[in-house]
Amino acid sequence: MVLPLSLLLLGAAASAGAHKSIQWSLVQNGTTGIVAVELITISPTLMLMYDRDDGNPLLLPDGSQAWTALWNLDTNTATPLSTLTDPFCAGGAFLSNGTLVSIAGNTLENPTPVPGDGRRAIRMFGPCTSPTGEGEGCTVFEDPANLQIAVTRWYPTALRIADGSILILGGSNNNAFYNSGSLAEDSFEFFPTRPGEEGTVRPSKFLLDAEPVNLFPRSFLLPSGHVFVIANNISMVYNIETDTELMRLPALPNGVRISNPFDGAAQLLPLFPPLYEPTVLVCGGSTADDSIPATSLTTQDLATKQCSRITLTPAGIAAGWEVEEMPEPRIMVESVLLPSGDVIFINGAHSGYAAYPRVNGSQNTGSNSDNPAMRGIVYRSSLPHGQRLTQDGLPTSNIPRMYHSSAALTGKGNVMISGSNPHPVVVQPPTTLSFPSEFRAEYLNPDFITNNSPRPLIHYSPSQIGFNQKATLTVTIPRSLSAGDFQVSLMDMGYVTHAHHSNSRLVFLEHTLHGDVLEITAPPNNYVYPPGPAWLFVVADGVWSEGVQVMVGDGGDPPRPDQGVRVRIDSV
Ligand SMILES: *[C@@H]1O[C@H](CO)[C@@H](O)[C@H](O)[C@H]1NC(C)=O
Ligand SMILES: *[C@@H]1O[C@H](CO)[C@@H](O)[C@H](O)[C@H]1NC(C)=O
Ligand SMILES: *[C@@H]1O[C@H](CO)[C@@H](O)[C@H](O)[C@H]1NC(C)=O
Ligand SMILES: *[C@@H]1O[C@H](CO)[C@@H](O)[C@H](O)[C@H]1NC(C)=O
């Protein structure tokens, strides 16, 4: 029997992992008034931005300078928020009860008004449920006299773990290019603190071994409850309960190093039921020797093109890192996980390093990096090795996005791009320095947003789902998309700063779709998705809906007990 050609093609496409290519476009709209060094997706309409007190044009009602602001995606305007301490280069995560916590930060030399020393700060925001969507009543809460972390940390990572609290990893205590010495910051601690560990830290041999390139250690919660950490050229799996390093993984291939100041990106690729096997993707960074002084590095040193991935199961670890190449080298590259499971790499430069001007060549430009990367790269995670990385469909920008730039997925399903500022103060044109402080906000829009073409729509979703429980949503899938693949994505969009999207996570959910009725099953337990806030998207034939917010778990204060059911997990 001879099959019609169209059927043969359909079959072939499905077995190769059908992949719809998207044409993206950039739209500039509005100015942020502060440099969004940290960018966090808060609600369908709001993004939270943290910066420092260094000459920002955005002013508080009393006329003083703002370093924190809410960005409204509908009006493209910034509203200043007051913050007591300096949040510059903090880490952060949402807790199981929906409060966003920003951890640690900086202290400043000569600011007006003087923000408090931020290095031991705990800043709490929300949940922000303003009825108008404009953020009225949403404020940053701090109590420096009573609420502080145990040690000073600048450039730490904060990761929500399976009990809904935060593991705080690493950081620095000085303003050096390289982080070195026997530092109290080469350690872990928790917020809220664990009984018996109040005011103390857990020293980390791993972070010490990763000196001097160990700031913003990239880390992910694995479906086993353990934590994967990668810093410099080394990575490990950490058992929180026993405070032990379970294993070191093979070194990143070909001498690549990725944490600050050699910022490369790391993402946990989507977790699929039923096994939720975790694969970590690491792209960009540098192959420079970390034992030579900063002054012998130069702004023209090419970054690496390398992307490496490893699956954190016994079989995946035995197979080791699988290496691919991006079309271009990248340092300080932001990685944005999309509801489809693909990843966009954007911002950063082709050469040089992160951090304030120190390397050879930065004396006149004020920037450790040069040769801005003006065009994004997409990583098509469902395609086979060798076919995943392309710049097809990505536009070329005319705005350099260097050190201290950011990019995040919004609830609308596009990518907001903001920053940068490689200089220690706000630098505005005219100037002889390169890359003046950048306040223009930009959006990277997929073609279905640009063209306003039919998208799937979530009409109704419960505001809370319990682990391993079923929930019923009502959706509309446009007829034009109904023949393609259909996925339900549960996402944490993370806390974006310094090429690290900590807490970024996508779990594809089991589901059945009958007409407009979508029945989903929440992740089996709090190890697959740590309890706390999430976004739900539906993806039909490669086109995603706008996201809706949902609380996963019981929404209580951390620490939460285990929830859901234990399932077979191969993850280490
Ligand atoms: C910029 O945003 C404003 C507010 O949403 C909108 O009215 C305007 O059309 C936008 N401009 C462009 C060029 O998209
Ligand atoms: C990582 O880099 C250091 C140099 O900083 C080197 O001594 C070490 O052998 C590398 N680690 C591995 C596991 O290759
Ligand atoms: C800095 O770069 C210049 C030009 O390439 C070179 O002549 C000089 O030796 C470099 N300085 C250091 C300290 O490496
Ligand atoms: C969430 O939990 C933290 C830690 O216990 C607490 O400080 C905060 O007030 C809680 N948030 C809400 C909204 O209750």
Side-chain angles (χ1 to χ4, degrees), residues 52-339:
R52 66 186 293 178
D53 180 16
D54 55 5
N56 290 320
L58 187 69
L59 303 179
L60 286 156
D62 68 3
S64 65
Q65 187 199 142
W67 56 86
T68 304
L70 276 172
W71 177 255
N72 187 313
L73 295 165
D74 285 337
T75 59
N76 290 302
T77 51
T79 303
L81 291 183
S82 75
T83 317
L84 295 176
T85 63
D86 181 354
F88 188 59
C89 308
F94 289 93
L95 295 171
S96 55
N97 61 12
T99 294
L100 174 73
V101 184
S102 161
I103 300 270
N106 186 25
T107 182
L108 291 171
E109 296 79 33
N110 192 22
T112 313
V114 178
D117 182 347
R119 291 173 303 161
R120 291 177 60 194
I122 297 171
R123 300 170 204 89
M124 296 207 248
F125 177 84
C128 179
T129 49
S130 83
T132 64
E134 288 174 15
E136 68 282 1
C138 300
T139 53
V140 178
F141 171 78
E142 290 178 273
D143 183 9
N146 299 301
L147 200 57
Q148 288 204 316
I149 58 171
V151 295
T152 55
R153 294 181 189 271
W154 196 21
Y155 291 75
T157 294
L159 180 70
R160 183 166 82 257
I161 56 176
D163 68 4
S165 63
I166 294 174
L167 175 68
I168 304 163
L169 305 95
S172 167
N173 188 19
N174 55 33
N175 188 10
F177 181 80
Y178 288 129
N179 196 40
S180 50
S182 180
L183 302 174
E185 291 77 13
D186 285 330
S187 63
F188 305 141
E189 61 177 293
F190 298 92
F191 178 76
T193 53
R194 295 199 157 192
E197 297 188 37
E198 294 88 354
T200 66
V201 300
R202 296 178 172 193
S204 168
K205 169 86 164 55
F206 171 84
L207 289 175
L208 194 62
D209 290 350
E211 285 186 350
V213 179
N214 71 353
L215 299 179
F216 285 120
R218 279 62 168 153
S219 51
F220 299 99
L221 175 70
L222 300 177
S224 56
H226 300 143
V227 173
F228 168 83
V229 190
I230 182 164
N232 200 335
N233 55 344
I234 56 176
S235 54
M236 67 126 171
V237 178
Y238 177 66
N239 183 331
I240 299 170
E241 298 318 317
T242 58
D243 184 22
T244 49
E245 220 182 273
L246 266 184
M247 64 182 79
R248 288 257 168 130
L249 297 160
L252 267 181
N254 304 314
V256 170
R257 307 174 193 278
I258 67 155
S259 24
N260 188 274
F262 291 5
D263 281 325
Q267 276 288 350
L268 180 66
L269 291 175
L271 298 170
F272 290 87
L275 286 179
Y276 306 100
E277 290 191 349
T279 297
V280 172
L281 174 70
V282 174
C283 294
S286 176
T287 54
D289 181 346
D290 65 357
S291 65
I292 60 176
T295 47
S296 300
L297 302 171
T298 87
T299 59
Q300 305 305 310
D301 294 346
L302 276 188
T304 178
K305 291 182 175 180
Q306 185 167 289
C307 277
S308 321
R309 61 186 250 182
I310 192 166
T311 297
L312 298 168
T313 60
I317 293 167
W321 293 94
E322 178 187 80
V323 173
E324 287 169 275
E325 278 201 344
M326 297 185 281
E328 309 175 329
R330 286 301 180 93
I331 189 90
M332 307 178 306
V333 59
E334 299 295 325
S335 60
V336 182
L337 187 56
L338 300 172

